[in-house]
Every structure is written in C-alpha cells, then in structure tokens.
Amino acid sequence: MKRFVFSLAWAFALVLASSSLARATVVEHTFNVEDVSIQRLCRSQVITAVNGTLPGPTINAREGDAVIVHVFNKSPYNLTLHWHGVIQFLTPWSDGPEFVTQCPIPSGGSYTYKFNLTGQEGTLWWHAHSSFLRATVYGALFIRPRLGHSYPFPKVYQEIPVLLGEWWNANVVEVEHNATESQLPPIESDAYTINGLPSDLYNCSQDGTYQVKVKQGKTYMLRIINAALNAQHFFKIANHTFTVVAVDALYTKPYKTDVVVLAPGQTVDVLITTNRPVGSYYMVFKPYQSAPRVALNGNLTRGVITYEGATSAAKPIMPDLPDQTDTPTAHKFYTNITGLAGGPHWVPVPRHVDEHMFITFGLSFTTCNNFSGGCTDGQRPLSANMNNESFVLPRGRGASMLEAFYFNNVSHVYSRDFPNQPPVVFDYTRPTITRDTSFAFQMAPKSTKVKVLKFNSTVEIVLQNTNIIAAENHPMHIHGYNFHVLAQGFGNYNATRDEPKFNLVNPQIRNTIAVPVGGWAVVRFQANNPGVWLVHCHLETHLPWGLAMAFEVENGPTLSLSVPPPPSNLPKC
C-alpha cells in the first residue's frame, strides 16, 4: 500500500510538471552561439561561446519556474545544449544529448528549449552535449526557493558562483577529432580556469585571476560547479572550513569539512563564514588523479578571497592541499554526505525493487576496423564499455533515439537488448587483468543498445568499475533522473557483505556519482519519467569511446503520463 501511494504521488507530480509550463513564472533567455576570439595564456584563441562570454550566461530561476531558452547556432558546428541535472519531467525533447533526445542544431539553425524546474533547489548547470564544445559552451543554472519559502539553513549574506573550467590552446573540436581518429587519449589541456579565468600560476595571467571581496564576520554560500571535461578536483580555501548544504541541487544534512571534492558534472553548495583575520586567502582547485597512469593536466588553478580592509601588499595565504592521488580523502568526502531527510523536496528511498542490474564499466580495446585511423605496430585501439557493449551514438540513421521511440520505429536506430549483467563473471578489479591477453572481455563490440524499463518501476544498479587498462574513478551521470546513492566501496561488489551497509534512511541524492577507483556504487531510482535517457561517464573522453548506454522508459498508463509530441522546430537529422 505504501508503495502504491508513493507511486501515485510521483505520478501526480509528473502531471503537475507537464501542465505548469503554461502557468508558471517564465524565465526566458536568448543564447547566441558563435565563435569569438579571446585572450588567454599569451595568445588569442578562437572559441565557441554563448553571447560572447566564458562562462556563458547564468540562468537564475526559482523552484516551479518555467525556463525557455531560444538557441541560435551561429557557430560553424552542429551542436546541442544539455541542462545538466534538470529532471525534464515529460519534457524529454529538451534534454539535449545529440542523437539521443534530439538531432543537433545545424550551423545557422535554431531551437527553443522549454522545461520546468520542479522539486529541485540549488546549483545545476548547462553545457554543450556535442564533442568537446562543452569546454567553452557552458554556464550556471541557479534554482532558488519559491517566493515565500526559504533555504533550510541560516540566511547567507551573499551567494558566489565558482565554476571550474578547462582550457586548451587549440580548437577543442579538433582536439576531440584527433583523439577519436588516433584512438589515443586527447592532448592534455593547458590550464584550468575559475569563472573563465586562469590564475596567476599561468603565463600572461597575473591580471587573469578570479578575485572576490568579502566582509569579515559574514556567511557566504559558494555555488561550486565542476565544468571541467576530464578532471576531478579537490577544492580548498586557506584557513577556512565549509559546511556542505546541497549537492546536485538537492539538500544535504549539513556536513563540515575543510575540503570539497567534485567530479566533472557535479555541483556542491557550501557555506563559509569569514571569521579569519583580515587578509587575502587563496581558493584552490587541485586535480584528483585517481588513475596515475592516465595523462592529466596536473596544474593548480586558484582565485583570491580578500577581506575588506586588507592591504594590497598582503600576499594571499595558500592552503595545505591533499596529494594529487589522495583517494582516501576523496572517498571520505564522497561517502560522508547524507541527504536532508524530511527537508524540502526530499524523496524517500523506494523499498521494493523491480529491476536489478549489475553493470561493469571501464576502458577496453576494440578492433582496428572499428575506427578510421588504422592500426600500426600492433597497436590495439582504445575503447570503453558497459557490460561489454561499447556504445555508439546513432549518427546518420535519420532520427534521434527519442524520435524512434515516439514513432515506434526503433529497429534502424537502436536495439532493446542491453544486458542486465556482464556476459562473464570475473575478478573485475584484479590489478593484472590487462596483461591477460586471452581475456575476451577486453574487446567490446560496438552497439547502440538500450535497457527497457516499465513505467514507475524501481531500478537498482550496481555500478562496478573494472581494472582493464586502468582503474579510475568514473563520474557516471544519468539523464532524466536523480537517484539515491545507497552505498559505495572498493574492490568487487559482494551482495552478502555490502547490502547490509545500504543507507535506506537518508542517503545522498545525486544526478552524477563518482564511482570509486577500483570499486563500486549502488544507486536506486524510480523510472517514472518516460522517454529515452542517456547514461554515461562524464569524463568527456569516454563518451566517444563508448562508455555509455541508455534507458528506454515506457509511457505511463495515460496520455498525460506519456512522451508528448515533438516540437515543430525539432532539428532534423
């Protein structure tokens, strides 16, 4: 009976979400995507950006608002935009991943995204979902409580956005193209940025450091976004501590820490009280490199917090930083966060599970004829996989996956046979597994497969890292849903040992989970949003290599709980 009532509540919420676009407060933006030339690191670089800024415009809204964004693609590239973490209840045509929920907006074309912000408060963001364009086409999306409602924590003096970005002294589309053709990792980025600015640690950047002035004795909220393509990061401010109050636009039980850890795609809201002596303090991002054998830009980037009254001659204080490979510190942060049970928009953990999945994922190899670069000197080209399937976006098939679903014409676009388990059971995290050349699981076939889910079914997924080629902390993002994180650990998941550890009372709720290096995580969600939803690693190098799959969630029992017709201006393939 409890599960039936819970399901009805979600169904009612979906109906409200679908009908409220017409009557909600409307937040409307126009995004002009075009190439601009900006100066960074001693050179002028042409980048693709929105409205000529890096980062792009911030969308400020309240819970319950409708958002309308008119996108005019004046760039030379076909692209889409994704509203990362927005649930898109019954608005799947606005989710954005290319060839999944829409075909790209062609150069010279336009498209209007429309969606409602329901049941979410906090920090999200938006970004291009086409190739490496996410490096420069991105911005913040802040969702505040409805008028008359307040945050579930003391009032803050000011909110400060802190967006970590990644910068190449190169055309980022060519960077991705060269990596895809060679099947080698992309060249490392040249810098990280805070709110679009590199720090004084880089050449020609003494005046290109993000700075913010604060008053002593005040409480500020930092809205931190990891918009980098390929690097997880530690974040610290010298001599200050944080109180985490939200992750991925969902409130948490207040958690005190002196370090924040974010994987690409994740957001964290923290409170900081300026209770230190008047002076200047560095805020610093340092990469967390979970796989030392994988090339990564290991540079720091930093901004400056300056108290009012500090002398200009005062040198900012640097924080003590974790080692770049400090997995225990990262794991402590990721696992110590819990949800704010009973707080605004809290959703209890569904207890009855209808669909159990065990998904192994990581890097692997593919055959030479699977890419156009050819193989030389016995080279085995890199690939990636989930349950030994290496995902291919359905380019050139005449329709997006969502169109194929809506018009019931899926056979030429994708298949409905993504496996619930890997084809073989093995020691997933054995350190020497890559040296076993006879092990067939290293070679993953290319496919475009989805897993079909019944509407309103509860799905539990064990996400199991593998050690093929390299064990790595992978940030896994599920489009269209938030999910409860029930447990995380190292090594191979063992239900007998690990299921008793599940937090079914107040687990954190996220849209992007950093699955521990050489380890596993268990997530659970209710499939109450019909459509086709991408699941992928948010390290940008891994999606083109196939570290993805998708869910096809069936329509609900009524027309009002089904995917609506496509917009008239939906881009064509």
Side-chain angles (χ1 to χ4, degrees):
M1 181 63 181
K2 287 183 178 179
R3 184 174 190 275
F4 178 69
V5 172
F6 180 71
S7 300
L8 283 181
W10 269 109
F12 182 63
L14 285 168
V15 173
L16 288 178
S18 64
S19 64
S20 58
L21 275 168
R23 56 184 175 80
T25 299
V26 176
V27 177
E28 194 163 5
H29 285 261
T30 296
F31 281 10
N32 292 300
V33 186
E34 53 194 332
D35 282 3
V36 297
S37 180
I38 67 172
Q39 194 76 21
R40 291 288 187 277
L41 307 185
C42 311
R43 60 180 287 171
S44 180
Q45 178 67 46
V46 175
I47 66 169
T48 304
V50 174
N51 295 355
T53 64
L54 180 71
T58 296
I59 297 176
N60 288 287
R62 294 186 179 275
E63 193 272 328
D65 284 355
V67 177
I68 299 176
V69 182
H70 308 284
V71 179
F72 295 90
N73 184 10
K74 303 175 183 179
S75 81
Y77 309 108
N78 300 340
L79 58 81
T80 64
L81 296 186
H82 170 53
W83 317 92
H84 187 107
V86 175
I87 300 304
Q88 301 289 357
F89 280 133
L90 297 177
T91 54
W93 303 104
S94 287
D95 191 46
E98 63 175 0
F99 302 108
V100 179
T101 60
Q102 69 170 99
C103 297
I105 306 168
S107 176
S110 64
Y111 183 57
T112 296
Y113 293 91
K114 299 179 180 181
F115 52 90
N116 192 272
L117 301 172
T118 302
Q120 296 177 277
E121 293 177 13
T123 300
L124 295 176
W125 62 301
W126 57 266
H127 60 80
H129 214 292
S130 305
S131 72
F132 269 34
L133 288 171
R134 175 160 71 87
T136 55
V137 179
Y138 68 91
L141 197 170
F142 299 149
I143 310 170
R144 297 177 174 87
R146 293 175 186 244
L147 290 175
H149 295 244
S150 60
Y151 296 118
F153 47 79
K155 186 176 180 180
V156 299
Y157 179 73
Q158 186 181 346
E159 298 177 6
I160 300 172
V162 182
L163 283 77
L164 173 71
E166 200 161 2
W167 177 267
W168 275 264
N169 284 333
N171 181 309
V172 294
V173 174
E174 293 180 3
V175 169
E176 190 223 15
H177 176 76
N178 291 338
T180 302
E181 286 298 299
S182 67
Q183 290 294 291
L184 296 173
I187 60 172
E188 297 174 31
S189 60
D190 295 283
Y192 297 109
T193 61
I194 298 178
N195 293 344
L197 297 172
S199 74
D200 52 4
L201 294 169
Y202 298 98
N203 291 335
C204 305
S205 302
Q206 295 305 308
D207 298 325
T209 300
Y210 175 68
Q211 301 190 45
V212 60
K213 286 216 166 186
V214 298
K215 292 185 177 182
Q216 191 177 40
K218 301 293 185 180
T219 297
Y220 294 79
M221 181 164 69
L222 306 185
R223 295 181 175 272
I224 313 170
I225 300 170
N226 187 347
L229 269 68
N230 296 313
Q232 305 186 59
H233 273 77
F234 299 107
F235 177 76
K236 294 192 75 170
I237 297 178
N239 297 354
H240 289 74
T241 57
F242 307 115
T243 301
V244 177
V245 293
V247 296
D248 292 359
L250 289 148
Y251 293 117
T252 65
K253 182 179 178 180
Y255 169 58
K256 294 187 180 297
T257 177
D258 68 344
V259 61
V260 169
V261 191
L262 303 96
Q266 291 185 327
T267 72
V268 179
D269 294 345
V270 301
L271 307 184
I272 176 174
T273 300
T274 50
N275 54 7
R276 309 306 297 169
V278 170
S280 295
Y281 302 85
Y282 277 119
M283 60 166 69
V284 183
F285 283 103
K286 180 177 184 177
Y288 162 47
Q289 192 167 11
S290 62
R293 290 186 295 165
V294 177
L296 181 72
N297 173 3
N299 295 326
L300 306 180
T301 195
R302 61 191 185 187
V304 180
I305 288 182
T306 302
Y307 282 53
E308 285 189 0
T311 63
S312 57
K315 185 176 180 180
I317 300 171
M318 273 289 287
D320 293 326
L321 296 166
D323 291 337
Q324 195 161 310
T325 57
D326 191 348
T327 290
T329 292
H331 189 65
K332 177 182 177 183
F333 178 83
Y334 283 137
T335 57
N336 276 11
I337 295 171
T338 53
L340 188 63
H345 315 299
W346 169 254
V347 177
V349 181
R351 298 302 182 98
H352 175 83
V353 177
D354 302 292
E355 192 81 56
H356 289 271
M357 299 185 70
F358 189 100
I359 301 179
T360 57
F361 63 93
L363 297 179
S364 61
F365 300 104
T366 190
T367 57
C368 293
N369 60 7
N370 272 334
F371 77 106
S372 59
C375 290
T376 60
D377 301 327
Q379 169 197 12
R380 288 191 294 175
L382 292 173
S383 184
N385 76 72
M386 297 180 74
N387 277 357
N388 210 40
E389 299 289 340
S390 190
F391 186 79
V392 178
L393 288 169
R395 290 183 172 89
R397 302 184 195 177
S400 70
M401 297 174 74
L402 184 59
E403 287 177 283
F405 167 78
Y406 181 82
F407 292 108
N408 196 26
N409 186 23
V410 305
S411 59
H412 70 292
V413 178
Y414 64 88
S415 61
R416 293 171 164 137
D417 54 347
F418 183 84
N420 269 12
Q421 306 88 27
V424 295
V425 176
F426 60 99
D427 185 353
Y428 310 112
T429 57
R430 176 163 60 90
T432 59
I433 194 169
T434 304
R435 295 201 291 271
D436 184 358
T437 57
S438 65
F439 184 46
F441 201 72
Q442 293 184 17
M443 305 292 286
K446 297 293 183 181
S447 65
T448 307
K449 295 184 177 183
V450 307
K451 166 66 180 177
V452 177
L453 299 176
K454 294 287 187 183
F455 177 78
N456 224 29
S457 62
T458 296
V459 186
E460 181 178 293
I461 309 172
V462 177
L463 295 164
Q464 174 68 61
N465 251 315
T466 69
N467 202 30
I468 300 172
I469 301 180
E472 189 174 3
N473 187 305
H474 289 280
M476 300 302 296
H477 174 47
I478 300 180
H479 287 235
Y481 292 94
N482 290 319
F483 48 79
H484 294 92
V485 181
L486 303 186
Q488 304 173 64
F490 295 101
N492 297 327
Y493 174 77
N494 181 296
T496 302
R497 177 195 64 206
D498 297 322
E499 193 168 321
K501 304 174 186 175
F502 285 7
N503 180 354
L504 300 175
V505 177
N506 64 342
Q508 59 182 286
I509 305 176
R510 281 195 174 273
N511 63 61
T512 305
I513 172 72
V515 182
V517 55
W520 52 269
V522 180
V523 303
R524 189 181 293 181
F525 67 96
Q526 192 167 8
N528 47 30
N529 193 12
V532 179
W533 305 104
L534 186 65
V535 181
H536 67 103
C537 179
H538 220 265
L539 299 177
E540 192 60 41
T541 55
H542 291 3
L543 178 55
W545 284 354
L547 191 48
M549 54 85 66
F551 288 120
E552 179 196 279
V553 180
E554 295 180 348
N555 283 317
T558 64
L559 190 63
S560 63
L561 289 174
S562 301
V563 173
S568 59
N569 68 335
L570 186 71
K572 304 300 182 185
C573 286

